[in-house]
Amino acid sequence: MEFADEARELLLVAPADFVRERTTRQRAVRKDDRALATRIGGLRKPAPAAWVVDLLAHEGALDEAVELGPAIRQAQADADPDEIRRLRRQRSDVVAALAQAGADLASDAGHPLTSAVLDQVRATIEAAMADGHAGAAVRSGLLVRPLESAGFDDVDLDGALADPDAVPDAWSGTDAEPIPITSARRSRKGSRASRPEPEPEPEPEAEPQAEPGPRTDPAAERRAAREAEATARAESRDADAALDAAEQELEAAEDRRAELERQLAEAVVEVERAERARDEAADASDRARDLLRAAQHHRRDVGR
């Protein structure tokens, strides 16, 4: 199997069981394909919301949502208020239905969703409608973290997919061009960032005794918010990687313990076998000595 196929299967495993299943699959392919085994070992555990979205993608349930996106964006471009209202109502219904379907799938798998995870599922589906590339990513079944649409900014896909090179195959049916995902990653400079900032309103004349208060820079605040978000996302990815490494070490330690316990059990069996053989040999020795003494007595009796 190709790595993308392996990843799609593993990403359907509940996050609580993911590391164990990943280790099992990595060992299964290592003998025949060490490169594939290495890539499987490096596959990130999906966030719970991403896992739910991948379940929906596997069911083919996301097509209507992704295909609704271009119509919404066209209505917004045409500034058609009636069509925008109609499509927004449809979007709301679709998102609610998909969120409920995802919650049902998670419950069936034995992992009910928290309200926070369900909110992330909704946000990811809405991001898939807002941005064609995000729609392709969500539809691919390779999502490892949830997505979020930030107004007019393009959806940040950096680190969102298990195998970015495989995503163009999933882009049919969207209005996004089939380009490598590395080219589709955005610097998060949307239409608002590319527009000149509006001229500030004239300041009213201050009273002679009043000191002017500090002025805020909306663009700077947005930049600071984006930087804080990027930092938090990087820290979250680092924490996820550290958790994965710790879980892999734990799996390896448990495997070593199981092997030692197996060897100990075999040694105990061997000791018990040796003890039985010793006891049997001692019994045979005692019987032989008894026979020897009997023979000696018989010989003496005959000699008289």
Side-chain angles (χ1 to χ4, degrees):
M1 295 177 69
E2 296 294 333
F3 173 66
D5 297 326
E6 295 278 2
R8 283 190 181 93
E9 288 190 3
L10 281 170
L11 292 173
L12 297 177
V13 176
D17 304 322
F18 177 82
V19 173
R20 183 179 67 252
E21 292 295 329
R22 180 183 61 190
T23 301
T24 299
R25 187 56 192 159
Q26 183 184 19
R27 290 173 179 167
V29 305
R30 182 178 292 149
K31 181 178 178 181
D32 298 325
D33 193 336
R34 295 189 66 86
L36 178 58
T38 299
R39 293 194 71 186
I40 291 174
L43 179 62
R44 285 178 53 197
K45 180 172 68 174
W51 167 62
V52 174
V53 173
D54 287 334
L55 290 177
L56 291 169
H58 180 70
E59 297 287 327
L62 297 172
D63 294 349
E64 181 183 358
V66 172
E67 290 165 3
L68 184 61
I72 295 174
R73 294 192 290 275
Q74 185 60 52
Q76 290 171 335
D78 294 341
D80 184 339
D82 293 336
E83 186 67 2
I84 290 173
R85 279 193 296 270
R86 184 186 71 80
L87 290 172
R88 282 181 175 171
R89 285 194 297 269
Q90 185 178 351
R91 178 182 64 183
S92 178
D93 292 342
V94 168
V95 170
L98 286 173
Q100 184 58 55
D104 292 342
L105 289 172
S107 294
D108 291 344
H111 295 275
L113 301 184
T114 64
S115 58
V117 171
L118 199 54
D119 286 343
Q120 290 180 331
V121 172
R122 294 189 189 96
T124 300
I125 297 169
E126 290 172 354
M129 295 178 174
D131 181 282
H133 298 300
V138 163
R139 209 177 195 180
S140 72
L142 293 168
L143 206 65
V144 294
R145 69 166 177 82
L147 304 179
E148 184 178 3
S149 176
F152 292 98
D153 290 347
D154 295 316
V155 175
D156 181 8
L157 298 178
D158 191 23
L161 294 162
D163 186 6
D165 294 333
V167 171
D169 295 336
W171 285 4
S172 59
T174 75
D175 60 350
E177 294 295 327
I179 58 178
I181 196 64
T182 49
S183 301
R185 289 175 182 160
R186 308 301 191 178
S187 60
R188 300 187 64 80
K189 294 179 182 177
S191 340
R192 289 180 300 176
S194 61
R195 297 172 185 164
E197 291 293 327
E199 291 294 327
E201 293 291 331
E203 292 286 341
E205 292 186 5
E207 294 294 329
Q209 69 277 12
E211 293 291 333
R215 296 178 60 185
T216 60
D217 183 351
E221 289 182 349
R222 286 195 296 272
R223 283 194 300 272
R226 286 195 293 268
E227 289 170 2
E229 180 185 351
T231 300
R233 183 174 289 117
E235 291 176 352
S236 176
R237 285 197 290 264
D238 290 344
D240 285 345
L243 177 59
D244 283 353
E247 288 176 334
Q248 283 184 295
E249 289 177 4
L250 177 59
E251 290 280 343
E254 289 176 344
D255 288 344
R256 289 194 297 271
R257 181 182 67 180
E259 176 62 19
L260 289 172
E261 289 175 347
R262 183 187 64 79
Q263 293 175 1
L264 177 60
E266 291 177 353
V268 169
V269 170
E270 184 64 20
V271 168
E272 291 175 348
R273 186 196 65 76
E275 288 176 343
R276 285 195 300 271
R278 180 200 62 191
D279 294 343
E280 291 171 358
D283 291 342
S285 176
D286 291 341
R287 288 193 298 271
R289 281 194 295 270
D290 291 342
L291 289 173
L292 176 59
R293 283 193 294 268
Q296 289 172 341
H297 287 309
H298 179 69
R299 181 174 56 79
R300 284 196 296 269
D301 292 342
V302 170
R304 294 174 185 163

